[in-house]
Amino acid sequence: MSQTRKELIQIVRDWRTLTLALVLPVILLMLLSAGLTLRVDDLPIVVQDLSASPASRDFVDAFRASLSLHVVAWPVDRPPDEALTSGAARAALIIPADFGRDLARGVDTPVQLLVDASDANTAKLTAGYAAQITRAYNERAAGVRRVALVQTAIRLWYNPGLSSKKFYGPGIFVLGLSMFPPLLAALAMARESEQKTILQVYVSSISAHEFLLGKVAAFTAVALAECMLMLAVLFTYFDLRLAGDPTPFIVATLLYAFCVASFGTMVGATVASQVAAMQLVALGGFLLVFLLSGLLFPIENIPAGLRWISNFVWGRYYIEIVRDALLQGGGWPAVWLKVVIIAVIGAVFYALAWRSMRRMQLRG
């Protein structure tokens, strides 16, 4: 009993251990219960209505009434496939010009549905929802005859075989890159404080910028080495290829390696304990990227109360860039803003790390 009492007292006195024992499990429970869902709701879809007839508008209204699909505005003169490439929509419904005339004649009328199949599970659900809506429209339009007049021709883009590996592969690649380099950087920085070797830096002539840039450059190189090895696996085991202009992917990878290295360095500079640093990196580098970056399911599926957090998760933007580079091929027009956001987040991490270290030396 004395040993038990001693251990409990130590846990209560150490706020880090107490947080690990009581707070983190509650946070994990809330994030997993609220953020982990495979249900697909409110998926954006664009409609190109070339018929512009009362019948086609009635058909589009059937899609607007759906709770699973959300019709977003799209210029009629703009190719609908650009909505998929830019990420503005998950699917595009194209209604032919003779839609209203054929329906009036009682002739079967095909409509085309382009589906972004980079996420195989969401693509299957989107196609299923569209088929259900079309079936309900046909039953309502045909009345007692039960004759199918509108037929949906579905084309799956980017991943026509609906391979799950091609969806999860880029996400797991980003998850690995988001976790291990910052963990190593955080442990290296925190170890300097725990073992008091940081004092040797304090008494030297090295500046905070030189010290931090050296740390960040080293773990950026580690991240890039990991990136090269994992890319080799993606290109062989996952059977993925670069789908378009590789320059946004290369630039984004360099910036993301800097971003995760800066994140780990910032954590290690802020927290002088390896255990606490490991917990913070696990929360930011693994849990947030795993749940709130679109790795497992689309961002649209995350409940609105948690969805705003994903705007601050750096892995979210890199996952979209990697999937674009390996599946969609949208290039700079589709991902330039995400590249800029990664650069900004990395700069913020570095600035916070420098803020913690800027007083490491007294002015002579």
Side-chain angles (χ1 to χ4, degrees):
M1 291 300 295
S2 299
Q3 183 65 30
T4 302
R5 183 170 175 272
K6 168 183 165 291
E7 293 295 337
L8 291 176
I9 290 174
Q10 288 181 340
I11 291 174
V12 172
R13 286 179 176 175
D14 186 356
W15 66 270
R16 298 183 187 90
T17 307
L18 195 62
T19 302
L20 180 63
L22 301 179
V23 178
L24 282 183
V26 175
I27 295 175
L28 184 63
L29 176 63
M30 293 176 64
L31 283 176
L32 287 175
S33 60
L36 188 59
T37 173
L38 296 179
R39 182 179 174 182
V40 178
D41 289 324
D42 207 26
L43 284 175
I45 178 174
V46 299
V47 176
Q48 187 178 45
D49 185 2
L50 300 176
S51 175
S53 61
S56 65
R57 287 192 286 271
D58 188 35
F59 184 59
V60 174
D61 286 342
F63 277 81
R64 287 198 175 96
S66 169
L67 297 177
S68 303
L69 303 177
H70 170 61
V71 177
V72 297
W74 190 255
V76 178
D77 56 344
R78 192 173 175 187
D81 54 297
E82 289 185 6
L84 306 185
T85 306
S86 63
R90 294 279 179 172
L93 178 68
I94 304 173
I95 301 176
D98 53 359
F99 181 86
R101 184 194 62 189
D102 287 348
L103 276 186
R105 291 178 177 178
V107 179
D108 287 353
T109 305
V111 296
Q112 190 174 49
L113 182 72
L114 308 179
V115 180
D116 179 357
S118 56
D119 178 350
N121 180 59
T122 303
K124 290 177 185 175
L125 293 174
T126 304
Y129 291 146
Q132 290 177 6
I133 294 170
T134 303
R135 192 180 309 116
Y137 174 83
N138 284 331
E139 291 176 355
R140 179 165 57 86
V144 296
R145 291 183 299 165
R146 305 290 182 188
V147 177
L149 298 177
V150 179
Q151 297 177 352
T152 306
I154 298 173
R155 288 186 60 191
L156 303 174
W157 281 34
Y158 313 130
N159 182 15
L162 294 177
S163 169
S164 296
K165 285 198 305 183
K166 291 187 175 180
F167 173 69
Y168 292 118
I172 297 170
F173 164 77
V174 176
L175 182 64
L177 207 57
S178 303
M179 186 171 179
F180 297 109
L183 181 62
L184 294 172
L187 290 177
M189 282 293 294
R191 191 183 307 118
E192 297 264 15
S193 299
E194 280 190 346
Q195 298 179 354
K196 307 301 181 186
T197 54
I198 191 69
L199 297 177
Q200 298 175 5
V201 180
Y202 288 169
V203 299
S204 70
S205 60
I206 189 172
S207 68
H209 274 305
E210 291 171 334
F211 177 71
L212 288 174
L213 285 175
K215 289 280 188 184
V216 171
F219 292 101
T220 298
V222 171
L224 292 176
E226 290 184 9
C227 176
M228 296 300 293
L229 292 175
M230 289 191 289
L231 279 178
V233 177
L234 288 180
F235 290 152
T236 53
Y237 178 72
F238 287 88
D239 197 24
L240 289 164
R241 297 288 183 274
L242 290 172
D245 181 7
T247 56
F249 172 68
I250 294 172
V251 174
T253 299
L254 292 172
L255 291 173
Y256 195 71
F258 168 79
C259 179
V260 294
S262 298
F263 170 65
T265 304
M266 178 202 70
V267 171
T270 307
V271 181
S273 165
Q274 293 188 68
V275 176
M278 191 183 303
Q279 292 174 19
L280 285 176
V281 172
L283 177 64
F286 175 73
L287 195 58
L288 292 181
V289 173
F290 185 73
L291 290 178
L292 302 178
S293 65
L295 188 151
L296 293 177
F297 41 81
I299 299 291
E300 295 87 350
N301 284 24
I302 301 174
L306 290 176
R307 194 181 307 158
W308 63 272
I309 301 177
S310 68
N311 294 324
F312 304 98
V313 178
W314 46 98
R316 165 193 175 173
Y317 304 102
Y318 190 53
I319 283 179
E320 293 176 0
I321 293 171
V322 173
R323 284 184 176 146
D324 179 84
L326 298 179
L327 294 172
Q328 296 164 327
W332 283 110
V335 302
W336 69 269
L337 181 59
K338 302 178 181 69
V339 176
V340 172
I341 292 174
I342 289 174
V344 170
I345 294 177
V348 169
F349 286 151
Y350 180 81
L352 292 174
W354 173 79
R355 187 172 180 272
S356 299
M357 299 292 296
R358 72 184 192 280
R359 295 178 180 173
M360 56 184 275
Q361 292 166 321
L362 297 175
R363 293 180 181 276

